[in-house]
Amino acid sequence: MTTTQIPGFKKRLSLRFKPFELQLKYPFNLASSSRTTTPVLLTELEFDGVVGYGEASMPPYLGESHESVTRFLQQLDLGQFQDPFQLEEILAYVDGCAEGNTAAKASVDIALHDLLGKLQGEACYASWKLRAADAPETSFTIGIDDESIVRQKVTEAAAYKILKIKLGRSNDKEMIQVVRSMTDVPISVDANQGWTDRIAALEMTCWLKEQGVLFVEQPMAKDDLDSTAWLTENSPLPIIADESIQRLSDLEKLKGVFSGVNIKLMKCSGLNEARKLIDRARALDMKVMIGCMTETSCAVSAAAQLSPLVDWADLDGNLLITNDPFEGVRVEDGKIKLPADPGIGVRLRQ
Ligand code: MG
């Protein structure tokens, strides 16, 4: 492990981190790309002998890497803070160290929340006065693939009450028809910016409504707000922003453009800003979804702490990998089961 720590002081925050490579169960096929691994970086933030866990996940589209996250974390001087409960000050310092680097920032934010929860002996959701019983079902993602693989994935997903289907190639209707030939569960679709024509997009959303689809995520290019606003105005289904929103500062301009937003810790720099995003989205009368990247149970369990607040959860990133070093949040009968353990509720697998 790399260490950035001031020697000679006991009760100070010290940060350690190491790169890790997630192995995916299936190749991750999107409208425009395919991959079999995802780089992540695991962090530990220690204070007075107590360790909080965090994680940065770096899917290629966000532009971060093992190298960039390492560079970002190495420059941090968290030893300057003697009180870990100075959460706003600490995270403002981290955020101010460089532009971007949202996954790197999230890895500190998550570890800090875990640490504070452990120091207080309380789960994060409990400290925010949320109830585990209010955690929603999570969708399970079926990626773009050949029909036989899609059938296999749908069979394996029998325990989930909502399926999220990735669209955005030329076979969108076939994908839905294959899934519908096997199950009646509600589905959501994610086009990952794959649709280019607004008229065709509207026709597709009308057809998807008839197929029992709940909402459509990021149908068009992230900067094509004109077409998206037109689609949202005319669509029979809610249209949810994913790639079009990263941070709190992106939210205001999306009012009236999208029906809601998909909030992810790796995009918005962590739990602290995610909570502000949820509050502001609600004030703007927008739907809220919480999502994730391919991540270990560390970052997914962190995001799950917020799940009692959202309309829809898509927290399956840890279920799509074969080498999860953590255990934490579970899914039972399709529903998110928040651990009662303090912080984000994770422990290292034996
Ligand atoms: Mg998405």
Side-chain angles (χ1 to χ4, degrees), residues 30 61 164 166 189-192 217-218 240-243 262 264 267 289 292 314:
L30 291 178
Y61 90 95
K164 169 165 157 173
K166 294 280 192 180
V189 309
D190 186 353
N192 286 110
E217 193 178 320
Q218 198 69 47
I240 306 299
D242 184 2
E243 288 89 337
N262 184 354
K264 298 177 180 174
K267 294 191 298 183
M289 173 179 180
C292 60
D314 180 33

Side-chain angles (χ1 to χ4, degrees), residues 38-297:
T38 299
V40 301
L41 190 140
L42 305 176
T43 55
E44 292 183 8
L45 191 56
E46 182 168 345
F47 182 83
D48 199 19
V50 179
V51 175
Y53 295 114
E55 175 179 5
S57 173
M58 293 87 80
Y61 90 95
L62 280 180
E64 290 180 80
S65 62
H66 281 149
E67 293 71 26
S68 72
V69 176
T70 298
R71 210 179 311 124
F72 181 84
L73 296 180
Q74 271 173 342
Q75 68 172 338
L76 297 180
D77 171 20
L78 297 180
Q80 68 182 289
F81 297 99
Q82 294 179 27
D83 178 4
F85 287 91
Q86 290 178 290
L87 178 118
E88 290 290 346
E89 291 84 350
I90 295 169
L91 296 179
Y93 159 73
V94 171
D95 197 23
C97 281
E99 291 282 299
N101 292 284
T102 51
K105 292 170 182 175
S107 77
V108 179
D109 166 286
I110 294 168
L112 182 58
H113 279 86
D114 192 37
L115 174 67
L116 298 185
K118 285 170 172 165
L119 290 169
Q120 289 175 300
E122 194 171 35
C124 292
Y125 68 84
S127 72
W128 301 326
K129 310 299 177 209
L130 304 178
R131 296 177 342 133
D134 294 331
E137 293 168 339
T138 179
S139 52
F140 184 82
T141 301
I142 308 289
I144 293 171
D145 233 312
D146 298 334
E147 181 175 335
S148 62
I149 306 282
V150 169
R151 286 185 179 280
Q152 190 182 331
K153 288 178 177 175
V154 173
T155 303
E156 289 172 9
Y160 298 91
K161 307 301 180 197
I162 305 173
L163 296 181
K164 169 165 157 173
I165 315 297
K166 294 280 192 180
L167 299 182
R169 287 188 180 171
S170 56
N171 64 342
D172 285 356
K173 285 193 175 178
E174 288 163 52
M175 281 282 297
I176 299 293
Q177 282 163 339
V178 168
V179 175
R180 269 291 165 257
S181 73
M182 299 180 69
T183 176
D184 290 328
V185 298
I187 58 186
S188 65
V189 309
D190 186 353
N192 286 110
Q193 313 183 70
W195 298 349
T196 51
D197 179 83
R198 63 168 77 178
I199 303 289
L202 179 58
E203 285 171 2
M204 183 61 93
T205 55
C206 292
W207 183 81
L208 289 171
K209 167 126 177 125
E210 293 168 13
Q211 307 303 312
V213 169
L214 298 170
F215 62 88
V216 177
E217 193 178 320
Q218 198 69 47
M220 313 195 73
K222 63 181 180 182
D223 299 322
D224 191 357
L225 300 189
D226 278 352
S227 295
T228 304
W230 180 86
L231 179 62
T232 298
E233 194 181 337
N234 292 287
S235 166
L237 295 176
I239 306 294
I240 306 299
D242 184 2
E243 288 89 337
S244 290
I245 178 151
Q246 290 208 9
R247 301 203 57 172
L248 182 59
S249 54
D250 300 324
L251 184 62
E252 303 292 326
K253 68 174 187 285
L254 300 184
K255 169 68 181 166
V257 176
F258 287 93
S259 322
V261 288
N262 184 354
I263 296 168
K264 298 177 180 174
L265 301 186
M266 296 305 145
K267 294 191 298 183
C268 75
S269 79
L271 289 163
N272 194 44
E273 186 155 320
R275 291 178 66 207
K276 294 173 183 172
L277 258 167
I278 293 172
D279 282 351
R280 189 61 196 143
R282 292 304 190 195
L284 294 171
D285 198 25
M286 295 176 84
K287 295 278 189 192
V288 175
M289 173 179 180
I290 187 128
C292 60
M293 310 297 176
T294 37
E295 299 166 352
T296 75
S297 287

